[in-house]
Amino acid sequence: MKKDLVILGAQWGDEGKGKVVDLLSADFDMVVRYQGGSNAGHTVMVGGEKFVLHLLPTGILHEQAIGVVAQGMVVDLELLVKEIEELEKKGLKVWDRIYISDRAHIVLPYHKVLDSLFEKKGKIGTTLRGIGPSYMFKYGRKGIRVCDLEDPDRTYQLIKENIEFVSDLCEKVYCENHRLDAQEVFEKTMEHYKRVKERVIDTTRLILDFRGRVLFEGAQGTMLDIDMGTYPYVTSSNASALGLSNGTGLPPKYFSEANFWAVSKAYTTRVGEGPFPTELKDATGELLRERGGEYGATTGRPRRCGWLDLVALKHAVEVNGLDGIIITKLDVLDAFEEIKVCVAYEVNGKRIDHFPASLSLLQRVKPVYKTFKGWLKDTRGARSLSTMPSEALEYIDFIQEYLKVPVVMLSTGPEREEYFWLYEPAWK
């Protein structure tokens, strides 16, 4: 039996990973977030109460689970402390179960200044939380890691130099004046660090030495991966399985005994700019948005909606080496007489069966659709195959056949208990 599990997003994020990780975490001893930052918004409904987690692994809602904020993340310490304290106020004991990598980079106010400036000058559709600039500083060797905060003098000097760099960039390149007080940023950073200091360790060693079962939780989605997504309209980290080793510090061989599952909606959404071949800018798209409650957990922005894109989903299957797919929000399709899925693209009369890298090509493709008869029956909260309309099962069967990967679970509502297995895992 495979011991560990990797849960990823198969689309442009917002697939419902939060609920899936939450319900599966009951069977795991440790849950690890390994990339992204507070741009993630993982929403979970427990007993009618809504939890939205941005930095903490979703599995932390289960009191038996250890949570790890691994080295591939960029961490806003102020938001992390606030998130932990809010859960503690709700009666969840988090402080003694959370570990933060000493190698993780931190997000600072000057990163948010740059994020806002870059977005104003060239719209990508970011969350304005400083994630991209923080990764930019990391790879430009100007970043500050959690372990650096052990040396206050060095930390102050780095902050001072970076603020001077950002101020010069804003003024001399973008003709805008942004002044931050280095002493104030330093003092607030050290204040937040003191709150988490006791939870900072080498998380790579922690995971390697751990003997329990581990769930690895991805943020965003494969189509937002910095390398394999719709570049440049992507996030700033590897949101696919490619981010596992560098995000955790674990060798690739570590994951050879893990199951790789990805979460996909029964249709497609994306937030922000970028190509979206199956987008519906009509009443059908609006109905998908309203029935699905498609508004960002982090930003509140309305999501763009369209039919399920199996070309993009097959790309995710191949990039991640998936063992299974989890389909969410099938019940959103209950109101449609006809349901379409994209099975190929067409451009200049030529059929394309793979997901292209070229942005200009993606912007010109037209989806080739297969049409299914809708079921027009309520599937919300369904708990078994026997209660599902035959038309819905035909839809799911076609997805499995096209992707050549099993659909292992259907989520039929936001609550923990609204789901059922199609292929129950060995550990159940």
Side-chain angles (χ1 to χ4, degrees):
M1 181 181 75
K2 292 186 177 181
K3 180 171 72 79
D4 297 335
L5 175 64
V6 179
I7 296 289
L8 304 148
Q11 297 168 304
W12 280 279
D14 310 309
E15 302 94 347
K17 295 182 297 299
K19 175 200 168 166
V20 170
V21 171
D22 170 64
L23 69 90
L24 293 178
S25 294
D27 297 322
F28 287 81
D29 308 298
M30 177 184 283
V31 184
V32 179
R33 264 282 309 271
Y34 59 87
Q35 47 80 217
S38 61
N39 52 342
H42 294 172
T43 304
V44 181
M45 295 292 292
V46 182
E49 186 171 10
K50 184 177 181 179
F51 296 84
V52 181
L53 301 177
H54 298 285
L55 286 163
L56 292 171
T58 311
I60 204 72
L61 297 177
H62 291 267
E63 294 192 353
Q64 93 290 343
I66 294 168
V68 175
V69 175
Q71 68 181 42
M73 292 186 66
V74 288
V75 183
D76 187 322
L77 292 178
E78 180 178 8
L79 290 179
L80 179 62
V81 170
K82 182 180 178 182
E83 200 165 288
I84 294 171
E85 289 179 343
E86 286 178 351
L87 290 182
E88 291 266 340
K89 286 177 185 175
K90 293 179 178 180
L92 282 169
K93 300 299 181 186
V94 177
W95 281 113
D96 60 349
R97 294 189 292 121
I98 193 71
Y99 292 97
I100 302 152
S101 172
D102 53 2
R103 288 183 169 89
H105 282 245
I106 60 174
V107 178
L108 289 159
Y110 50 81
H111 296 131
K112 296 175 186 179
V113 168
L114 280 181
D115 208 354
S116 179
L117 192 61
F118 292 162
E119 186 68 10
K120 189 190 303 183
K121 300 297 181 181
K123 195 169 178 59
I124 294 292
T126 77
T127 58
L128 303 179
R129 297 208 168 193
I131 308 305
S134 185
Y135 277 113
M136 184 180 85
F137 272 55
K138 172 180 176 175
Y139 290 107
R141 297 178 297 281
K142 296 178 72 67
I144 299 175
R145 299 187 297 171
V146 175
C147 60
D148 294 326
L149 304 181
E150 272 295 290
D151 184 343
D153 291 339
R154 182 168 184 270
T155 298
Y156 175 77
Q157 190 60 36
L158 288 171
I159 287 174
K160 184 173 180 291
E161 290 173 2
N162 284 345
I163 285 178
E164 289 171 355
F165 170 76
V166 170
S167 295
D168 283 348
L169 185 65
C170 290
E171 185 177 337
K172 295 176 181 177
V173 177
Y174 292 102
C175 300
E176 293 200 15
N177 193 0
H178 291 275
R179 293 291 172 186
L180 291 168
D181 187 302
Q183 185 65 34
E184 182 181 349
V185 172
F186 167 73
E187 288 176 0
K188 287 186 176 180
T189 300
M190 297 309 296
E191 178 186 332
H192 301 315
Y193 174 60
K194 286 174 185 174
R195 295 284 288 120
V196 302
K197 183 177 178 179
E198 296 301 316
R199 310 313 300 168
V200 174
I201 63 169
D202 181 342
T203 55
T204 301
R205 288 248 53 88
L206 174 72
I207 302 168
L208 282 172
D209 294 340
F210 193 67
R211 292 296 172 258
R213 304 188 66 233
V214 185
L215 191 156
F216 295 88
E217 176 184 1
Q220 292 86 41
T222 301
M223 305 311 295
L224 291 173
D225 184 277
I226 186 70
D227 291 305
M228 303 306 292
T230 49
Y231 188 89
Y233 299 99
V234 291
T235 192
S236 300
S237 58
N238 285 116
S240 69
L242 301 182
L244 273 166
S245 277
N246 62 16
T248 59
L250 301 171
K253 284 184 179 180
Y254 177 96
F255 300 99
S256 62
E257 292 302 314
N259 275 303
F260 283 73
W261 290 350
V263 184
S264 168
K265 285 175 182 166
Y267 50 99
T268 309
T269 66
R270 82 171 296 174
V271 172
E273 305 298 315
F276 184 174
T278 64
E279 183 174 11
L280 298 169
K281 300 179 181 180
D282 57 12
T284 301
E286 186 61 33
L287 183 58
L288 281 171
R289 182 180 299 111
E290 292 309 312
R291 284 186 57 82
E294 297 298 349
Y295 298 90
T298 301
T299 63
R301 290 180 297 183
R303 296 177 184 135
R304 300 156 63 190
C305 298
W307 296 122
L308 184 63
D309 187 340
L310 289 180
V311 180
L313 199 51
K314 187 175 183 181
H315 177 69
V317 169
E318 293 171 345
V319 167
N320 295 306
L322 295 181
D323 301 302
I325 293 280
I326 295 168
I327 300 289
T328 63
K329 292 196 170 184
L330 185 70
D331 55 297
V332 173
L333 301 181
D334 292 351
F336 294 88
E337 291 186 6
E338 284 189 345
I339 298 166
K340 296 181 180 181
V341 293
C342 173
V343 295
Y345 301 148
E346 191 176 90
V347 61
N348 299 329
K350 181 181 178 182
R351 184 180 172 109
I352 300 174
D353 296 307
H354 65 279
F355 196 83
S358 168
L359 183 70
S360 59
L361 180 58
L362 269 173
Q363 290 171 330
R364 290 184 288 120
V365 300
K366 296 187 181 302
V368 177
Y369 286 119
K370 178 177 175 61
T371 302
F372 290 83
K373 181 183 176 183
W375 42 91
L376 298 176
K377 295 176 183 175
D378 186 11
T379 63
R380 175 70 178 264
R383 300 293 303 276
S384 69
L385 275 175
S386 62
T387 63
M388 295 291 288
S390 60
E391 296 88 350
L393 296 180
E394 181 184 351
Y395 183 69
I396 296 300
D397 284 343
F398 182 80
I399 293 171
Q400 295 184 111
E401 290 169 10
Y402 184 98
L403 299 177
K404 295 181 174 54
V405 169
V407 174
V408 296
M409 179 199 289
L410 289 181
S411 170
T412 56
E415 292 284 350
R416 264 182 184 168
E417 65 275 7
E418 292 178 320
Y419 77 96
F420 63 91
W421 294 102
L422 278 76
Y423 298 93
E424 193 160 334
W427 70 76
K428 299 298 289 183

